[in-house]
Each structure stands twice: as structure tokens, then as C-alpha cells.
């Protein structure tokens, strides 16, 4: 409960840059442009009224409307957003409410590393996935910080009846509705231009279901919201983290890359492996390419190539430059395209 008087609260609300408009205290509303009812939203997702003993995270918290409702229900809550809490009205709301919620400024993609060893029972990820270039990667990151049986509550753009061409013009076609209802995973992919910008992917329901399966989630509740006057088409979905493994992007990752670890057991993100083969091949070509008619059919050429290769390797071990050719040696010819 806030320890501030009404005049202090009004002054704080007036001085902050709000996006979300909600009843932050009985009879007191924030001044955002996007109306939101935190209690209704969490109830619709099926979030329990009593979250005592539950660890919760609100990813894409913005001003914290849902964050503070999770806290009100008794959860131990962490808010996460790429924005600093002073860039939004989050810190202002936290002051008004006297909240003890922690805040992590981070991308969803980085949460598994930043929260290593931590698991959450309730994850809110609302109105974010369509703003991302890699939504599957985001859901995988969420899966990695979700306890078995955790609930994921998400909402975002879904393909139902509205689409745009690459110029941003609405497409008037019954085909859109047919694609939306197919049990074939389809997603529209825009270059960040959909509905005015910063929107990338619009999956149909089958595609979204595939994303969840790949990331170890199972949809247990979903609802579609449509408002044709706003070109609105949203999926409101609750998922449960199963015991299934996250799908591997490619089997080569299991065979090699993911097993290459440094002394701290972290996955090697990249490594430059210098290759002396270019030097040895050049030296070998130079050695056998000058007078091929003087070489015996097989043994001489192979012998010379092997000797030059060994010489090149030795030279390469101490320098990145190939061994200098002997005087009078012809330069290696470039291979024809």
C-alpha cells in the first residue's frame, strides 16, 4: 500500500511518461494511451488469485501493470524489459505502490544466461513476439527459465483475416481466411513494416502451435480476439512447460558446436581456426607446377608435393605467411573459374 498522499501521487503520475493506463490505486488511474485491466487479463489467462510461493516474471513489462498485479497476488516477481525503468513509468509506479519488485533491463534472448540456475512458475510474455526478428528464439529462451509445469501467458498478433502487401496496403482476399484456418503452419514475414513498423511475424494458429511444440510448451487454453474496425487479430494463449526437450536447431549442434566449451563450461560462441592448408597447397602447387614434364608419372610428383607440404607446414607454424619460393621458381597459376 502506498505511503504517499493523494497530492504526491498525482504529481508523480503527471510527471511520468506512461504508456499503460490502469487503475493503479482505487479511484486513481495512470495517464497512458493504452487501456489495460491487469486483474481481468491475468484472470483470462487463468493465473491463480493466490501466487504465494510462486516465482513470476513479466517479460516486456513496460510500466508494470501486470507486474504489480502478480505481486498483489502474492508472487515473488521479477520484471524484465529492454528499456530502463526510468525510460518508462515503471519506477514511478513502483514508488507509488511501495513495491518490492526487482527489475532486470535485458533482452528476452539473454535471460537464460542472466538468470542461469533460476526457474519461474508463471511467465507473462504479452504483446511482444510479433515485435521480434526471432520469435522462436525468444520462446526457447523463455522455456529455458521455466520450471516443469510452469504456465506461460502470451498474447500477440495472429493471422485471421487481415494481411498487407509489401507496400503496406491491406489485401482484400478470402485467401487470407483460408490460410488462417489451415492446419498447415504458415506465417507472414515482413521486413519490420507491418501495420506501420516494428512488426515482423504474423503466424496462423497452426504455426504458433508448432512454435510452442518446438520450445517444449503445450497450449492448454486459447482464445482469438478480432476487431475488424481496428484490423485487430490477436491470440490470447496459456501454455504449460512440459518435460519435452527443446527441439535442436540442427543435429550438427549436438555433434560438435554445443559440445565445444571453454574452461568455464560456457558454449563457445565463435572461434577463429587458422588454417595453414592454404599455404601448403600454394607451396605444393608451386613445386610441381613449374616443370610437370620433368616429373615421373606418379612417385616424383607426389614426393615433391609431400615435401613442399611439410615445408609449408613448418613455415606456417611460425608465421602466417607462406614460405618464400626459391629464386627462379614460377608463380602458381590461378585456377580457372
Amino acid at each position: 500500500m502506498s505511503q504517499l498522499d493523494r497530492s504526491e501521487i498525482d504529481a508523480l503520475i503527471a510527471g511520468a511518461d506512461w504508456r499503460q493506463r490502469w487503475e493503479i490505486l482505487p479511484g486513481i488511474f495512470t495517464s497512458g494511451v493504452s487501456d489495460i485491466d491487469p486483474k481481468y487479463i491475468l484472470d483470462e489467462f487463468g493465473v491463480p488469485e493466490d501466487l504465494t510461493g510462486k516465482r513470476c516474471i513479466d517479460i516486456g513489462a513496460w510500466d508494470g501493470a501486470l507486474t504489480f498485479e502478480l505481486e498483489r497476488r502474492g508472487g515473488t516477481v521479477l520484471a524484465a524489459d529492454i528499456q530502463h525503468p526510468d525510460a518508462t513509468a515503471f519506477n514511478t509506479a513502483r514508488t507509488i505502490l511501495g513495491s518490492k519488485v526487482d527489475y532486470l533491463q535485458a533482452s528476452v534472448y539473454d535471460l537464460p544466461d542472466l538468470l542461469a540456475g533460476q526457474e519461474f512458475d508463471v511467465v507473462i510474455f504479452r504483446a511482444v513476439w510479433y515485435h521480434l526478428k526471432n520469435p522462436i528464439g525468444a520462446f526457447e529462451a523463455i522455456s529455458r527459465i521455466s520450471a516443469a509445469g510452469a504456465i506461460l501467458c502470451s498474447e500477440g498478433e495472429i493471422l485471421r483475416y487481415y494481411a498487407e502487401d509489401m507496400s503496406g496496403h491491406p489485401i482484400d482476399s478470402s485467401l487470407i481466411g483460408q490460410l488462417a484456418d489451415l492446419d498447415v503452419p504458415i506465417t507472414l514475414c515482413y521486413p519490420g513494416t507491418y501495420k506501420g513498423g516494428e512488426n515482423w511475424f504474423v503466424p496462423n494458429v497452426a504455426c504458433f502451435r508448432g512454435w510452442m511444440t518446438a520450445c517444449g510448451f503445450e497450449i492448454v487454453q486459447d482464445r482469438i480476439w478480432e476487431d475488424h474496425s481496428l484490423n485487430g487479430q490477436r491470440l490470447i494463449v496459456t501454455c504449460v512447460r512440459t518435460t519435452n526437450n527443446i527441439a535442436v536447431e540442427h543435429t550438427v549442434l549436438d555433434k560438435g558446436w554445443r559440445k565445444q566449451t571453454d574452461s568455464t563450461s560456457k558454449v563457445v560462441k565463435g572461434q577463429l581456426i587458422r588454417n595453414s592448408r592454404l599455404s601448403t597447397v600454394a607451396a605444393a602447387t608451386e613445386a610441381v607446377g613449374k616443370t610437370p614434364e620433368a616429373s615421373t608419372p606418379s612417385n616424383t610428383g607426389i614426393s615433391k608435393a609431400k615435401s613442399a607440404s611439410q615445408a609449408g607446414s613448418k613455415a606456417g607454424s611460425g608465421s602466417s605467411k607462406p614460405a618464400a619460393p626459391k629464386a627462379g621458381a614460377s608463380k602458381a597459376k590461378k585456377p580457372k573459374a
Side-chain angles (χ1 to χ4, degrees):
M1 181 61 66
S2 178
Q3 301 300 312
L4 305 174
D5 62 34
R6 180 60 186 262
S7 62
E8 291 173 319
I9 293 172
D10 288 343
L12 285 171
I13 290 176
D17 184 15
W18 301 87
R19 177 175 178 81
Q20 298 171 328
R21 182 181 183 275
W22 83 97
E23 191 173 15
I24 191 169
L25 288 171
I28 302 177
F29 287 81
T30 63
S31 55
V33 297
S34 178
D35 287 310
I36 182 171
D37 183 339
K39 185 180 186 310
Y40 172 82
I41 289 173
L42 293 191
D43 286 346
E44 186 178 35
F45 279 133
V47 176
E49 178 64 31
D50 185 1
L51 292 174
T52 303
K54 301 295 185 181
R55 295 211 61 196
C56 310
I57 183 169
D58 181 12
I59 304 170
W62 210 286
D63 298 333
L66 299 180
T67 306
F68 301 119
E69 176 62 17
L70 291 169
E71 183 183 35
R72 187 194 68 78
R73 296 187 183 207
T76 300
V77 188
L78 174 66
D81 201 292
I82 58 173
Q83 305 172 93
H84 191 278
D86 284 333
T88 64
F90 187 93
N91 273 344
T92 299
R94 182 160 51 182
T95 299
I96 291 172
L97 293 169
S99 169
K100 297 181 180 179
V101 166
D102 287 327
Y103 189 100
L104 176 63
Q105 184 181 3
S107 165
V108 62
Y109 305 122
D110 296 327
L111 294 181
D113 288 336
L114 297 173
L115 300 172
Q118 301 185 49
E119 291 186 333
F120 295 87
D121 305 298
V122 178
V123 180
I124 307 297
F125 189 54
R126 183 176 179 271
V128 180
W129 82 59
Y130 49 96
H131 291 311
L132 304 177
K133 288 182 177 180
N134 184 6
I136 298 179
F139 283 114
E140 177 176 334
I142 291 171
S143 183
R144 294 187 185 281
I145 61 170
S146 298
I151 61 171
L152 164 65
C153 308
S154 195
E155 177 186 328
E157 192 79 2
I158 201 77
L159 182 63
R160 293 303 301 159
Y161 66 89
Y162 180 82
E164 296 175 355
D165 62 21
M166 291 296 285
S167 299
H169 300 118
I171 297 174
D172 183 14
S173 173
S174 60
L175 176 62
I176 304 303
Q178 296 173 31
L179 294 176
D181 291 332
L182 282 177
D183 192 30
V184 175
I186 294 172
T187 187
L188 307 182
C189 178
Y190 292 92
T193 58
Y194 178 73
K195 288 188 175 180
E198 300 178 349
N199 302 300
W200 301 83
F201 290 91
V202 186
N204 67 356
V205 173
C207 182
F208 187 86
R209 189 169 64 248
W211 291 357
M212 294 302 97
T213 300
C215 296
F217 287 104
E218 179 183 356
I219 296 175
V220 295
Q221 174 184 303
D222 63 74
R223 183 176 77 84
I224 292 174
W225 171 86
E226 295 183 6
D227 187 335
H228 288 239
S229 67
L230 301 172
N231 294 327
Q233 47 185 12
R234 311 277 281 196
L235 177 66
I236 302 161
V237 62
T238 302
C239 307
V240 171
R241 178 64 172 99
T242 69
T243 57
N244 295 336
N245 292 330
I246 297 170
V248 176
E249 189 170 43
H250 195 288
T251 54
V252 70
L253 299 179
D254 272 349
K255 294 176 181 177
W257 182 78
R258 288 196 186 278
K259 297 185 183 203
Q260 297 172 17
T261 58
D262 59 20
S263 59
T264 63
S265 296
K266 292 182 178 178
V267 173
V268 176
K269 298 292 185 180
Q271 55 183 332
L272 175 63
I273 302 175
R274 295 189 178 278
N275 190 348
S276 62
R277 182 175 180 275
L278 295 179
S279 300
T280 60
V281 169
T285 303
E286 190 171 288
V288 300
K290 181 181 178 182
T291 54
E293 67 282 359
S295 303
T296 57
S298 58
N299 292 341
T300 304
I302 292 174
S303 173
K304 288 183 178 180
K306 187 178 296 184
S307 175
S309 176
Q310 292 169 350
S313 296
K314 291 178 181 179
S317 63
S319 169
S320 60
K321 296 181 180 180
K326 294 181 179 180
S330 63
K331 294 183 178 180
K333 296 181 180 179
K334 295 183 179 179
K336 294 182 179 180

